[in-house]
């Protein structure tokens, strides 16, 4: 997910009350039972364990990871899709840490960003860049290592790999080649926001990023407007005003919109 780069807030706002400071990438447009946009704020501020923190990982955590590793034995070879924090370093699982420590290599969307996470948890596994601009070039090298029996972990900048992030194509290839693909569950930006949004979670559609082309974008919004379940979008900060203008014309005033930004961080809203 792009939480590291895209601020995110969880406040419902009226389109007419929107100011330039709202730069949120998450939107939820639910059932038509809502008669207007309502201004509400419901996220408390949370303490932040920053990537730039100089604190050391508690020794108890290291001991627990080591203890779990010895009990469970070595990992089997394959591709591990590892979920990583979307902002708060404490939101990583012991299993994720064990996999990252045990892997032969970690594929990373941004090695400099991921390096801070690994450094904090004293993980020495080598990083290899893997992003949308070099996916096809890396495939042969990664597949060769997997077929040789290596443990390859794949992480994105934040959240689960393959969800609006690199990883989907590699997972498909591995499935076709009968190479094990093991998901290691972790944080998800849109599920985190949805759970606290106050909107219906019985049924929802994750749309992700809208097309850049105006015609295709309008067509996608019209499709979402015709659906009753909650609709979830990722929107870059500089596209927020455009999104609200376009979506309000199509959805009308019978839908409620919730904006989520800075999730799990100091200024979460």
């Amino acid at each position: 997910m792009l939480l590291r780069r895209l601020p995110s807030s969880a406040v419902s706002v009226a389109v007419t009350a929107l100011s330039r400071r709202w730069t949120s990438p998450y939107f939820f447009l639910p059932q038509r039972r809502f008669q207007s946009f309502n201004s509400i704020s419901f996220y408390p501020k949370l303490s932040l364990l920053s990537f730039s923190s100089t604190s050391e990982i508690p020794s108890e955590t290291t001991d627990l990871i080591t203890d779990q590793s010895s009990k469970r034995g070595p990992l089997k070879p394959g591709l591990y899709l590892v979920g990583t924090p979307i902002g708060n370093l404490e939101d990583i699982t012991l299993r994720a840490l064990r996999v990252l420590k045990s892997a032969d290599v970690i594929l990373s969307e941004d090695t400099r960003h991921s390096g801070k996470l690994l450094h904090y948890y004293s993980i020495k596994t080598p990083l290899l860049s893997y992003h949308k601009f070099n996916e096809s070039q890396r495939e042969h090298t990664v597949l060769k290592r997997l077929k040789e029996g290596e443990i390859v972990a794949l992480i994105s900048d934040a959240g689960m790999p393959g969800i609006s992030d690199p990883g989907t194509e590699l997972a498909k290839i591995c499935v076709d080649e009968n190479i094990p693909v093991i998901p290691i569950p972790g944080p998800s930006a849109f599920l985190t926001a949805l759970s606290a949004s106050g909107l219906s979670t019985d049924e929802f559609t994750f749309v992700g990023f809208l097309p850049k082309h105006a015609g295709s974008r309008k067509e996608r919004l019209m499709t979402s407007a015709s659906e009753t379940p909650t609709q979830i979008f990722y929107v870059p900060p500089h596209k927020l005003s455009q999104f609200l203008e376009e979506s309000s014309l199509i959805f009308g005033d019978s839908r409620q919109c919730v904006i989520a930004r800075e999730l799990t961080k100091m200024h979460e809203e």
Side-chain angles (χ1 to χ4, degrees):
M1 315 273 180
L2 299 181
L3 262 182
R4 183 177 66 86
R5 297 184 294 274
L6 307 181
S8 35
S9 115
V11 235
S12 294
V13 296
V15 176
T16 54
L18 184 69
S19 68
R20 289 285 182 183
R21 70 186 183 89
W22 293 110
T23 53
S24 306
Y26 304 102
F27 299 87
F28 310 87
L29 299 166
Q31 291 88 336
R32 297 175 183 275
R33 59 188 175 86
F34 296 100
Q35 296 303 307
S36 63
F37 289 90
N38 298 312
S39 296
I40 60 174
S41 178
F42 50 84
Y43 275 138
K45 290 187 176 181
L46 303 182
S47 59
L48 171 67
L49 186 58
S50 170
F51 275 110
S52 60
S53 172
T54 55
S55 303
E56 295 182 358
I57 178 176
S59 59
E60 306 85 55
T61 304
T62 304
D63 294 341
L64 186 55
I65 296 170
T66 303
D67 181 58
Q68 290 296 315
S69 297
S70 61
K71 285 182 178 180
R72 296 178 179 274
L75 298 176
K76 66 179 182 179
L79 176 66
Y80 288 76
L81 307 179
V82 184
T84 54
I86 59 176
N88 191 317
L89 280 184
E90 291 180 326
D91 295 333
I92 193 167
T93 68
L94 293 175
R95 187 182 178 205
L97 292 174
R98 184 167 73 94
V99 170
L100 294 178
K101 280 179 176 287
S102 304
D104 295 297
V105 65
I106 298 173
L107 305 181
S108 168
E109 188 177 3
D110 184 336
T111 55
R112 291 171 298 179
H113 177 70
S114 299
K116 297 174 184 178
L117 172 68
L118 301 188
H119 176 74
Y120 182 81
Y121 284 105
S122 302
I123 296 173
K124 308 298 184 182
T125 308
L127 287 165
L128 181 66
S129 65
Y130 185 84
H131 45 74
K132 65 179 182 180
F133 299 110
N134 71 355
E135 276 183 293
S136 56
Q137 291 91 337
R138 291 287 193 211
E139 284 174 4
H140 177 74
T141 302
V142 174
L143 281 176
K144 183 175 182 294
R145 299 184 70 158
L146 285 166
K147 289 178 179 179
E148 290 174 351
E150 290 194 8
I151 297 169
V152 177
L154 172 61
I155 61 176
S156 65
D157 283 351
M160 286 299 296
I163 308 300
S164 290
D165 270 331
T168 303
E169 291 304 315
L170 183 57
K172 287 180 180 178
I173 293 172
C174 287
V175 170
D176 291 340
E177 296 284 339
N178 292 317
I179 296 172
V181 179
I182 305 96
I184 308 299
S188 168
F190 80 81
L191 289 177
T192 300
L194 177 61
S195 67
S197 68
L199 306 181
S200 174
T201 60
D202 293 337
E203 187 177 358
F204 58 87
T205 299
F206 173 64
V207 180
F209 290 101
L210 288 166
K212 292 182 179 180
H213 186 267
S216 300
R217 190 166 61 249
K218 180 178 180 181
E219 184 178 347
R220 175 61 247 193
L221 285 172
M222 290 181 68
T223 298
S224 290
S226 66
E227 298 179 357
T228 300
T230 300
Q231 303 291 299
I232 307 174
F233 304 88
Y234 281 171
V235 180
H238 63 284
K239 295 289 187 180
L240 177 60
S241 295
Q242 179 191 71
F243 173 84
L244 289 178
E245 289 172 4
E246 294 178 349
S247 62
S248 62
L249 291 174
I250 296 173
F251 282 91
D253 62 359
S254 61
R255 303 285 285 257
Q256 184 186 48
C257 175
V258 173
I259 305 172
R261 70 172 182 177
E262 296 296 332
L263 297 174
T264 77
K265 298 181 183 180
M266 181 75 74
H267 302 293
E268 177 183 81
E269 295 178 296

